[in-house]
């Protein structure tokens, strides 16, 4: 057995699942025309197919192996593992399952099939305790009961690749009895649950619900659907419809930027800085990175989502967050007032210099910054040494003069030298909202700052 991945994010858990039959696996039995007696060929196909419900001999008889024809693996009665997928390669059976440590594990077993007896043995060198599925099994289609159903989504539903469907079976007190995670692929999305025969008590009420989970948060739910049987006692197909969880989303137009693994959105005509999260946050960050913008340069977007309070980066803090459901890139609106900083009398924190992100200051040091005063003097810090000097400004032309610094030794990760060099080469500037960019004589970007309010 070997661990092949962690279950963070949830989609990693299901990445190993392949709902399509392995090309090396035996074909599923084809339906035969009704006859007075079954043809021998039909019986042979059933016996040769490894898919089905398998009940182990001996003290493991309460744990049943279900090898679904579509490649899904179900471990009925196993409270320590959740089955994911299976495939057969010649005389080997590969089982992928989730263990109690949130690892996706893969067990490779040798397989022998004789009539309705299946024998699974561990590979040489593997420890028996690490291969919980070795042993002799008997085919037993009556050992399990199947709950089948499908979940429908609205035609305009958009979910990211990491979205996972959690289907739960509950008793009359809404106590969860069984849950299965499903990698979302279709609409309607089919699902299957298997239980040991007799676990559903006659006359008792049960229900099924489903939740769509993205990055640990529930974004859609179905509500509870009662489990019903037909006149012959067979479980009826469960049909459910997923709806958005929480308040209806609203649309915002404004500036979006992504830097240092943090996404911030400022709506037009507002000074609110919203942390961007939710189902489409990763796709939105990727779109920004692929746009090839300068560091901290905004991208105008229309975002659909809801406003919520979420945990901040620092322990014990809450931030205003926009939980994004969908996004669209738009042209800069004619009317979109934004907070705007002034060149002078503003604390400008260094973000990027010469294409390199400014590292956080070492312990006991200041962050790299500039403050340009109204009397044409400048002071600041390189995160290693204090600096002073002067500057001249004419329109969008800017030059720093007579720069001097203290002479402390600079150690560790710092951009002190590049910072000073960029100031000496500066011949122009641009302010976009709360972002200051410095340029050389050829208008090449030298450094980027952001306004901070102390």
């Amino acid at each position: 057995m070997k661990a092949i991945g962690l279950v963070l994010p949830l989609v990693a858990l299901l990445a190993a699942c392949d709902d399509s039959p392995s090309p090396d696996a035996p074909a599923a039995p084809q339906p035969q025309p009704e006859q007075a007696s079954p043809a021998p060929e039909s019986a042979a196909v059933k016996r040769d197919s490894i898919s089905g419900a398998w009940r182990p001999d001996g003290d493991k008889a309460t744990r049943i192996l279900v090898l679904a024809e579509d490649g899904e693996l179900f471990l009925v009665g196993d409270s320590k593992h959740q089955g994911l997928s299976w495939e057969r390669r010649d005389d080997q059976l590969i089982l992928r399952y989730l263990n109690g440590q949130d690892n996706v594990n893969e067990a490779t077993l040798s397989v022998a099939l004789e009539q309705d007896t299946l024998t699974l043995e561990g590979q040489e060198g593997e420890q028996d305790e690490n291969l919980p599925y070795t042993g002799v099994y008997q085919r037993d289609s009556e050992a399990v009961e199947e709950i089948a159903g499908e979940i429908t989504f609205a035609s305009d539903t958009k979910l990211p690749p990491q979205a996972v469907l959690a289907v739960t079976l509950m008793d009359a007190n809404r106590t969860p009895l069984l849950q299965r995670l499903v990698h979302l692929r279709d609409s309607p999305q089919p699902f299957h649950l298997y239980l040991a025969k007799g676990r559903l008590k006659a006359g008792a009420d049960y229900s099924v619900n489903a939740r769509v989970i993205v990055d640990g948060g529930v974004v859609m739910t179905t509500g509870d659907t009662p489990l019903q049987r037909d006149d012959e006692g067979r479980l009826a197909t469960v049909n459910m419809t997923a709806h958005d969880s929480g308040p209806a989303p609203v649309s915002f137009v404004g500036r979006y930027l992504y830097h240092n693994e943090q996404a911030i959105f400022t709506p037009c005509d507002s000074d609110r800085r919203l942390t961007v999260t939710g189902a489409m946050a990763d796709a939105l960050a990727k779109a920004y990175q692929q746009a090839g913008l300068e560091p901290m340069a905004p991208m105008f977007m229309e975002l659909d989502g809801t406003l919520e309070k979420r945990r901040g980066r620092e322990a014990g803090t809450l931030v205003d967050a926009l939980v994004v459901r969908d996004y669209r890139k738009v042209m800069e609106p004619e009317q979109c007032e934004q907070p705007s900083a002034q060149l002078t009398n503003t604390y400008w924190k260094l973000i990027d210099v010469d294409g390199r992100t400014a590292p956080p200051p070492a312990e006991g040091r200041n962050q790299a910054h500039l403050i340009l005063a109204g009397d044409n003097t400048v002071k600041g810090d390189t995160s290693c040494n204090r600096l002073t000097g002067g500057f001249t400004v004419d329109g969008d032309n800017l030059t720093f003069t007579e720069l001097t610094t203290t002479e402390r030794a600079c150690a560790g990760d710092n951009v002190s030298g590049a910072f000073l060099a960029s100031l000496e080469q500066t011949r122009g500037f641009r302010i976009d909202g709360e972002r200051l960019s410095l340029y050389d004589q050829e208008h090449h970007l030298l450094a980027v700052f952001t306004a901070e309010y102390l």
Side-chain angles (χ1 to χ4, degrees), residues 132-387:
Y133 308 110
T134 58
V136 178
Y137 294 78
Q138 302 299 323
R139 187 189 297 276
D140 188 352
S141 60
E142 299 298 320
V144 294
E145 195 164 25
E146 177 188 8
I147 301 173
E150 61 181 26
I151 298 169
T152 303
F153 299 86
S155 59
D156 59 350
T157 298
K158 295 182 179 180
L159 292 170
Q162 69 268 30
V164 173
L165 184 69
V167 183
T168 305
L169 171 68
M170 302 175 295
D171 64 15
N173 297 318
R174 301 196 82 248
T175 301
L177 303 178
L178 179 66
Q179 178 173 278
R180 183 159 182 90
L181 302 176
V182 180
H183 188 180
L184 283 170
R185 295 184 177 180
D186 302 300
S187 181
Q189 172 67 51
F191 69 87
H192 303 270
L193 301 174
Y194 286 90
L195 303 92
K197 201 67 169 287
R199 188 174 179 187
L200 297 178
K201 305 302 181 183
D205 293 328
Y206 300 93
S207 62
V208 178
N209 72 16
R211 297 165 295 147
V212 177
I213 302 172
V214 177
D215 298 333
V218 177
V219 298
M220 302 186 78
T221 60
T222 62
D224 299 350
T225 299
L227 200 59
Q228 298 179 338
R229 295 183 183 272
D230 60 20
D231 294 339
E232 299 180 2
R234 294 174 298 193
L235 289 171
T237 300
V238 179
N239 295 306
M240 300 184 287
T241 302
H243 304 280
D244 287 340
S245 176
V250 294
S251 295
F252 301 88
V253 175
R255 284 178 166 89
Y256 171 91
L257 63 88
Y258 181 84
H259 180 76
N260 196 24
E261 298 184 355
Q262 187 173 19
I264 299 295
F265 181 74
T266 305
C268 289
D269 305 322
S270 170
D271 60 359
R272 298 185 68 182
R273 295 170 180 79
L274 304 174
T275 298
V276 177
T277 184
M280 303 303 292
D282 289 345
L284 187 52
K286 185 176 181 179
Y288 178 88
Q289 293 170 316
Q290 292 177 341
L293 303 173
E294 293 180 355
M296 297 290 290
M299 183 166 65
F300 279 90
M301 306 292 294
E302 181 177 3
L303 306 184
D304 299 338
T306 57
L307 297 176
E308 298 181 11
K309 288 287 187 181
R310 290 290 179 98
R311 292 179 181 177
R313 285 190 165 187
E314 298 181 5
T317 62
L318 293 175
V319 298
D320 292 327
L322 177 58
V323 183
V324 178
R325 303 282 184 85
D326 198 8
Y327 68 90
R328 294 164 293 281
K329 187 176 180 181
V330 297
M331 300 296 293
E332 181 174 355
E334 294 183 2
Q335 300 294 327
C336 187
E337 294 186 8
Q338 296 278 311
S340 184
Q342 301 297 316
L343 177 65
T344 58
N345 301 317
T346 298
Y347 183 101
W348 293 107
K349 173 185 173 183
L350 180 65
I351 296 296
D352 185 279
V353 58
D354 195 26
R356 179 184 173 191
T357 299
E363 184 177 356
R365 300 294 178 91
N366 297 319
Q367 63 185 10
H369 70 276
L370 285 178
I371 300 176
L372 290 75
D375 61 359
N376 290 92
T377 61
V378 60
K379 63 181 181 179
D381 202 296
T382 69
S383 80
C384 176
N385 286 290
R386 294 189 300 274
L387 69 84

